[in-house]
Amino acid sequence: MPPESQIPTTASEKRRFAVRLALFYSAVFAVSGTHLPFFPVWLKAVGVDAAWIGIINALPGITRFTTLPYATAFAEKRHAIRAGMMVSVFATAVGFALVGLQHQPLALLVIYALTCIMWTPVVPLTDAYALRGVVRYGFDYGPVRLWGSAAFAVGSLACGYLVDSIATRELIWVIVAWAGVAAIAGLLLQPLDVVRRKTAETHAGKALLHDAGFWLVIVSAALIQGSHAAYYSFSAISWQVHGLGGLTIAGLWTLGVIAEIIVFALSPRFSLHPSSLMAIGGASAVVRWIVTAYDPPLALLAIVQLGHGLTFGLTILGTMTLLVQRVPSHQIARGQGYYAACSGLLGATTSIASGAIYAHIGEGVYYAMAAMAGAGALLIWSARHRLKTHPQSEESGG
């Protein structure tokens, strides 16, 4: 049997796979576009205080390093990555609907935790499905992934408009509606060929965990992406306190996503090594968070938001490229699970800490985020020479 990357495909097959994947990315990230900026706003509207908001917002991160790795490994072992994606988005829609029926912090904590158990595997499984498609069909990850970012912007803008038009306590139903759309989009995903495995299943995860280069990549990425925790949890709340309306807040988030889309669209032209892309992303985050800590005027804040294309966009592009290089195709879902687990551990810790810090010093929390991003940038930069050689070979299935 020829390697997966050499299986003949037609242009129509490649295009059909990419279009359906782009649609699913769009639906999934439309949920995130409403959830990330405005779920904390909804929590505040139903009477949840800042400390509880920090704890509740830590739940996605907690499930990433507890239950998510088991979910991705199970889906990979059962050759059910696509099925896992479909089940997860359907269960997520149901879970958010149940969240919307609760206003007490403890009840919200429990139901949201169960929802996150189903929600957090969606993106790692989708990225694993996408990266297998990259190997199978030979398309670029960035231009397909950008549709998710575009949908994030649309979802954020639509929700921002509604903030000024409907009661803030009703925002949860916008999230539920987008989750329902994602569940429908999941039905359109087409199956991928079963990936050839030459490594014993029982040793696959251990071999990956013994790869020092793999750890350097995921820890660096987790530090840089984790530095966004305070932004995700408290930017909308802080901007509301300073008098910005819902549409303006959504517009600021959208500026960042537009920059991210541009980076994804231009990614096939990038010639820098992916470790350098990650280092640039981390260094840019240091600057971004320091400026944000000063509570800049709206015009400067808008410029700073454009840095999201570097802090998030370049970091994820570099991370995904390095994972394709270092992780065999038959282990890619497991690799995504480990990456999500590491990100979740740091993200959950950072989210809880940022809630406590924000309650005491407000925007000063961004100085801690800058230090975290700087550590990630230094780590990946110091490892750049090691990462220019990678262990994956054609025989390993990648």
Side-chain angles (χ1 to χ4, degrees):
M1 178 179 177
E4 186 183 20
S5 58
Q6 295 179 6
I7 297 175
T9 61
T10 64
S12 62
E13 289 176 327
K14 174 180 176 180
R15 182 169 57 254
R16 183 165 56 250
F17 178 88
V19 168
R20 293 184 181 188
L21 174 59
L23 285 172
F24 187 75
Y25 263 129
S26 298
V28 167
F29 279 93
V31 179
S32 296
T34 54
H35 173 264
L36 272 178
F38 294 107
F39 186 64
V41 174
W42 177 79
L43 288 173
K44 183 181 179 183
V46 298
V48 180
D49 64 29
W52 270 104
I53 289 173
I55 294 170
I56 291 171
N57 274 323
L59 289 172
I62 292 171
T63 58
R64 286 189 188 102
F65 71 84
T66 52
T67 59
L68 186 151
Y70 295 101
T72 53
F74 180 82
E76 187 171 70
K77 184 178 181 180
R78 298 288 180 177
H79 308 295
I81 292 177
R82 171 175 164 267
M85 294 157 63
M86 295 166 66
V87 170
S88 292
V89 291
F90 177 80
T92 297
V94 175
F96 274 123
L98 295 175
V99 166
L101 299 176
Q102 295 293 333
H103 294 165
Q104 295 300 317
L106 185 58
L108 280 170
L109 186 75
V110 173
I111 298 174
Y112 187 55
L114 295 173
T115 303
C116 289
I117 289 172
M118 299 307 302
W119 173 238
T120 52
V122 174
V123 172
L125 287 174
T126 305
D127 282 335
Y129 176 84
L131 294 181
R132 282 190 175 181
V134 167
V135 176
R136 173 69 171 82
Y137 294 102
F139 60 85
D140 290 304
Y141 171 82
V144 173
R145 173 60 177 76
L146 70 82
W147 291 103
S149 299
F152 184 101
V154 171
S156 180
L157 279 174
C159 201
Y161 174 78
L162 290 173
V163 165
D164 296 330
S165 305
I166 65 173
T168 308
R169 296 166 67 94
E170 304 300 325
L171 287 177
I172 189 67
W173 304 113
V174 182
I175 300 173
V176 172
W178 278 120
V181 172
I184 295 171
L187 300 176
L188 303 177
L189 293 168
Q190 65 187 68
L192 271 174
D193 300 323
V194 174
V195 178
R196 180 170 54 99
R197 293 178 296 165
K198 287 193 174 183
T199 304
E201 190 70 49
T202 55
H203 300 299
K206 291 182 180 179
L208 199 56
L209 290 177
H210 291 162
D211 179 6
F214 172 73
W215 276 106
L216 286 167
V217 173
I218 66 173
V219 171
S220 300
L223 284 166
I224 298 169
Q225 299 291 18
S227 75
H228 292 70
Y231 167 67
Y232 292 149
S233 294
F234 295 106
S235 62
I237 292 173
S238 176
W239 295 339
Q240 268 194 333
V241 169
H242 288 90
L244 300 184
L247 194 57
T248 302
I249 292 170
L252 287 169
W253 274 71
T254 302
L255 281 176
V257 178
I258 289 172
E260 177 186 320
I261 291 170
I262 293 172
V263 168
F264 285 146
L266 295 177
S267 63
R269 302 183 183 183
F270 295 164
S271 59
L272 290 174
H273 190 268
S275 61
S276 297
L277 297 181
M278 290 180 65
I280 293 171
S284 300
V286 174
V287 176
R288 181 184 181 189
W289 304 139
I290 289 175
V291 174
T292 303
Y294 277 93
D295 185 23
L298 182 59
L300 180 56
L301 185 59
I303 294 172
V304 170
Q305 282 297 98
L306 292 174
H308 194 72
L310 303 178
T311 65
F312 177 85
L314 281 187
T315 302
I316 196 170
L317 281 174
T319 303
M320 292 302 159
T321 304
L322 286 170
L323 290 180
V324 167
Q325 291 177 356
R326 302 201 68 86
V327 182
S329 291
H330 64 273
Q331 297 180 32
I332 195 66
R334 197 184 303 263
Q336 287 289 333
Y338 291 147
Y339 165 51
C342 184
S343 298
L345 178 59
L346 281 171
T349 304
T350 305
S351 181
I352 293 171
S354 66
I357 297 171
Y358 181 82
H360 286 86
I361 60 174
E363 281 78 5
V365 68
Y366 288 107
Y367 291 121
M369 302 299 104
M372 189 172 177
L378 288 173
L379 181 61
I380 196 68
W381 181 252
S382 66
R384 67 191 185 282
H385 297 301
R386 176 198 289 264
L387 295 173
K388 287 182 179 178
T389 59
H390 54 83
Q392 188 183 177
S393 65
E394 190 174 281
E395 285 192 353
S396 68

